[in-house]
């Protein structure tokens, strides 16, 4: 009897070992390049803007890939290259090719793969290339083949071309704007990929893709307010249906002029009928509320915004300098708004209304300030080195109150006090999102009368800090007046440029699977 039991135990152990050998952890690669690129800005984005990292360093960007995280243990991971830039101008061909070539070469080192996590934004423009993300994923497919399952995660302000939809087996995007669910969405893309590999289900059988001819800026489609709030709340409900794996609504990117720039709905799953019904329901829901989209905060001219701010007893009164918003793709160095501020008599003297202006790039100004030092007086120009269409470089004559080095984006920041205005001048452009961005420079936005930031809708920390807020319709590469920008290559008709267009065909287009 003992001999039988021992033999049985040995047999089970051998079986387990064999099973482990025949069912190893899946091999999954990681890759992605992310940027929003305005083609209406004269700026260009070079390789250094992307801060590309390779290998295991990539894991630091994702909490769900920490060493002790469950997802890290569920697969053999092969991170290649991840490049992520602040939004900016069109990406140079050299920068794009350098990152893509590096990615493809690294992918070749560990072939074959069971899966690939493709982490992109979806609104990258590249000199001489339409649909760069579609080009990138197509070139990836030529290396890894069509059997590998690709799970794509995107910003909801990205664009989903038919080519990107075809080569992506799983695809999703953020469901909140501001993007407080960014990491949650990235994890969902990874979880979906792992689940399909571990279960043996493989690629979803159906991918519904519906283009919606709407092109609106993020400032009009925020999920903080209606109709965006209710529209995006419908997405999760659709994913709970039997036979539906994931669903997503892309607003698209309004400040680039390519045929792929428009809203899109995609739903993936194994039930053809349910996938199609969900996609058509979400697409129709978006179209039905198109007239209801409006700015997330009151909008007005800069002059009126200043009048409101100067008469307000709510502090800080925040003004969004929207037209040159670097978080949407503006050059960040348009001086028009700052020039107008410096003309105002209310800010001429130190005891005037306090105002923080964040920010204006001026590398030569910064270099001169470093030579002079804190406490010294400086007279020099800043801004308009990239985008001088609306105003020339601005002359700043004031006292240097702070110099800080080491910021990832700005590199060096200088605060110069001009009358009652604290102007932040940076070596390289930087958006100011957090209270610490100001306090690190000795500024306290909470007790400042007026804070002017180059941004569109306020990110959560600034939004929670505001006493009051308006968005100024200022000029720049991400002008909110889309008709003033002059799109020439987008598909027409397109709402709201063609306000009286007929109801479009919002029926499901089933994308061929990536191996078909």
């Amino acid at each position: 009897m003992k001999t039988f039991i021992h033999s049985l135990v040995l047999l089970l152990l051998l079986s387990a070992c064999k099973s482990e050998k025949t069912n190893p952890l899946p091999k999954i690669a990681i890759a992605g390049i992310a940027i929003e690129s305005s083609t209406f800005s004269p700026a260009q984005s070079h390789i250094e803007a992307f801060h590309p990292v390779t290998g295991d360093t990539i894991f630091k960007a994702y909490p769900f890939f920490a060493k002790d995280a469950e997802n890290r243990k569920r697969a053999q991971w092969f991170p290649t290259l991840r490049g992520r830039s602040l939004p900016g101008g069109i990406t140079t061909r050299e920068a794009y090719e350098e990152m893509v070539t590096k990615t493809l070469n690294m992918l070749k080192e560990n072939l074959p793969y069971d899966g690939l996590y493709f982490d992109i934004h979806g609104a990258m423009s590249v000199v001489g290339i339409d649909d760069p993300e579609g080009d990138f994923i197509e070139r990836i497919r030529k290396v890894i083949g069509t059997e590998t399952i690709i799970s794509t995660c995107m910003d909801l302000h990205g664009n989903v071309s038919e080519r990107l939809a075809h080569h992506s087996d799983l695809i999703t995007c953020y469901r909140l704007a501001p993007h407080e669910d960014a990491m949650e969405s990235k994890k969902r893309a990874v979880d979906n990929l792992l689940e399909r590999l571990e279960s043996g289900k493989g690629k979803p059988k159906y991918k519904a893709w519906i283009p919606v001819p709407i092109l609106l800026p993020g400032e009009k489609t925020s999920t903080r307010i209606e109709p965006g709030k209710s529209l995006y709340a419908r997405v999760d409900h659709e994913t709970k249906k039997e036979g539906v794996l994931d669903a997503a609504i892309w607003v698209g990117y309004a400040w680039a002029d390519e045929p792929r720039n428009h809203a899109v709905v995609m739903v993936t799953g194994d039930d053809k009928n349910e996938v199609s019904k969900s996609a058509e329901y979400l697409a129709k829901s978006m179209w039905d509320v198109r007239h209801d989209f409006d700015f997330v905060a009151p909008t007005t001219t800069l002059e009126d915004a200043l009048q409101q701010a100067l008469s307000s007893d709510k502090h800080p009164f925040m003004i969004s300098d929207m037209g040159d918003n670097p978080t949407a793709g503006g050059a960040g160095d348009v001086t028009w708004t700052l020039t107008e501020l410096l003309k105002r008599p209310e800010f001429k003297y130190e005891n005037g209304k306090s105002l923080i202006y964040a920010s204006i790039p001026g590398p030569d100004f910064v270099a001169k300030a470093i030579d002079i030092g804190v406490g010294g007086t400086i007279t020099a120009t800043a801004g308009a080195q990239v985008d001088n269409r609306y105003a020339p470089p601005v002359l700043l004559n004031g006292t240097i109150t702070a110099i800080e080095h080491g910021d990832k984006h700005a590199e060096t920041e200088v605060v110069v006090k001009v009358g009652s205005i604290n102007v932040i001048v940076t070596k390289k452009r930087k958006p100011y999102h957090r209270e610490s961005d100001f306090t690190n420079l000795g500024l306290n936005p909470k007790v400042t009368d007026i804070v002017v930031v180059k941004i569109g809708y306020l990110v959560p920390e600034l939004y929670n800090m505001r006493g009051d807020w308006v968005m100024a319709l200022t000029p720049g590469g991400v002008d909110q007046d889309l008709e003033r920008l002059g799109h020439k290559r987008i598909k027409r008709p397109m709402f709201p440029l063609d306000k009286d267009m007929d109801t479009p065909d919002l029926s499901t287009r089933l994308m061929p699977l990536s191996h078909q």
Side-chain angles (χ1 to χ4, degrees), residues 212-375:
V212 185
I214 293 175
L215 190 64
L216 290 168
E219 283 71 20
K220 279 191 171 182
T221 52
S222 172
T223 59
R224 277 190 183 136
I225 62 171
E226 298 297 348
K229 186 175 182 179
S230 294
L231 176 65
Y232 272 85
R234 298 177 184 183
V235 174
D236 185 61
H237 179 265
E238 295 306 302
T239 68
K240 301 296 191 291
K241 294 164 62 175
E242 189 69 30
V244 173
L245 177 63
D246 209 298
I249 301 172
W250 284 262
V251 170
Y253 182 65
W255 294 294
D257 194 11
E258 294 179 21
R260 65 177 181 151
N261 290 90
H262 52 75
V264 161
V265 168
M266 275 198 76
V267 178
T268 55
D270 296 319
D271 186 308
K272 181 179 180 181
N273 185 51
E274 292 299 335
V275 164
S276 296
K277 281 171 55 180
S278 289
E280 290 175 2
Y281 167 69
L282 293 174
K284 184 178 184 301
S285 295
M286 187 177 197
W287 181 254
D288 287 347
V289 297
R290 66 192 182 282
H291 292 289
D292 299 332
F293 287 109
D294 202 356
F295 286 110
V296 66
T299 57
T300 186
T301 63
L302 177 64
E303 182 178 359
D304 182 64
L306 287 171
Q307 286 302 122
Q308 291 185 47
L310 288 165
S311 60
S312 176
D313 58 358
K314 297 176 181 178
H315 304 141
F317 192 105
M318 291 197 169
I319 299 175
S320 291
D321 180 7
M322 291 200 294
D324 191 37
N325 171 15
T327 71
D333 79 336
V334 173
T335 57
W336 184 85
T337 297
L338 182 54
T339 299
E340 296 301 308
L341 291 173
L342 292 170
K343 293 177 184 176
R344 302 284 302 212
E346 297 91 344
F347 309 119
K348 286 286 185 186
Y349 304 102
E350 192 172 345
N351 61 354
K353 287 274 190 177
S354 59
L355 186 146
I356 296 173
Y357 186 80
S359 60
I360 196 77
D364 294 338
F365 185 100
V366 167
K368 185 173 182 179
I370 292 170
D371 288 341
I372 296 170
V374 174

Side-chain angles (χ1 to χ4, degrees), residues 92-253:
T92 66
R93 185 66 171 266
E94 294 76 16
Y96 175 74
E97 292 296 343
E98 181 177 336
M99 290 185 286
V100 170
T101 300
K102 179 70 173 177
T103 300
L104 299 180
N105 287 338
M106 293 186 74
L107 283 172
K108 291 173 185 176
E109 294 172 5
N110 295 290
L111 292 168
Y113 302 99
D114 299 295
L116 184 142
Y117 168 49
F118 195 45
D119 185 13
I120 58 175
H121 181 288
M124 173 168 55
S125 291
V126 174
V127 175
I129 298 179
D130 267 358
D131 184 21
E133 287 88 354
D135 174 77
F136 188 17
I137 196 171
E138 190 170 70
R139 289 164 72 175
I140 286 174
R141 278 291 184 200
K142 289 178 181 177
V143 172
I144 68 173
T146 58
E147 294 307 308
T148 302
I149 302 176
I150 295 182
S151 182
T152 300
C153 186
M154 301 172 65
D155 190 301
L156 62 85
H157 297 124
N159 309 291
V160 187
S161 66
E162 291 179 75
R163 180 162 53 161
L164 180 60
H166 169 56
H167 289 296
S168 296
D169 301 298
L170 308 166
I171 190 165
T172 193
C173 73
Y174 310 160
R175 297 170 184 171
L176 294 176
H179 308 315
E180 296 168 82
D181 68 330
M183 205 53 64
E184 175 187 332
S185 299
K186 293 175 191 293
K187 185 176 185 299
R188 182 172 66 249
V190 171
D191 288 344
N192 286 344
L193 176 58
L194 287 167
E195 190 277 328
R196 299 299 290 200
L197 289 171
E198 292 169 348
S199 67
K201 293 178 181 177
K203 303 175 183 181
K205 296 177 182 177
Y206 301 101
K207 296 182 295 186
W209 177 84
I210 302 179
V212 185
I214 293 175
L215 190 64
L216 290 168
E219 283 71 20
K220 279 191 171 182
T221 52
S222 172
T223 59
R224 277 190 183 136
I225 62 171
E226 298 297 348
K229 186 175 182 179
S230 294
L231 176 65
Y232 272 85
R234 298 177 184 183
V235 174
D236 185 61
H237 179 265
E238 295 306 302
T239 68
K240 301 296 191 291
K241 294 164 62 175
E242 189 69 30
V244 173
L245 177 63
D246 209 298
I249 301 172
W250 284 262
V251 170
Y253 182 65

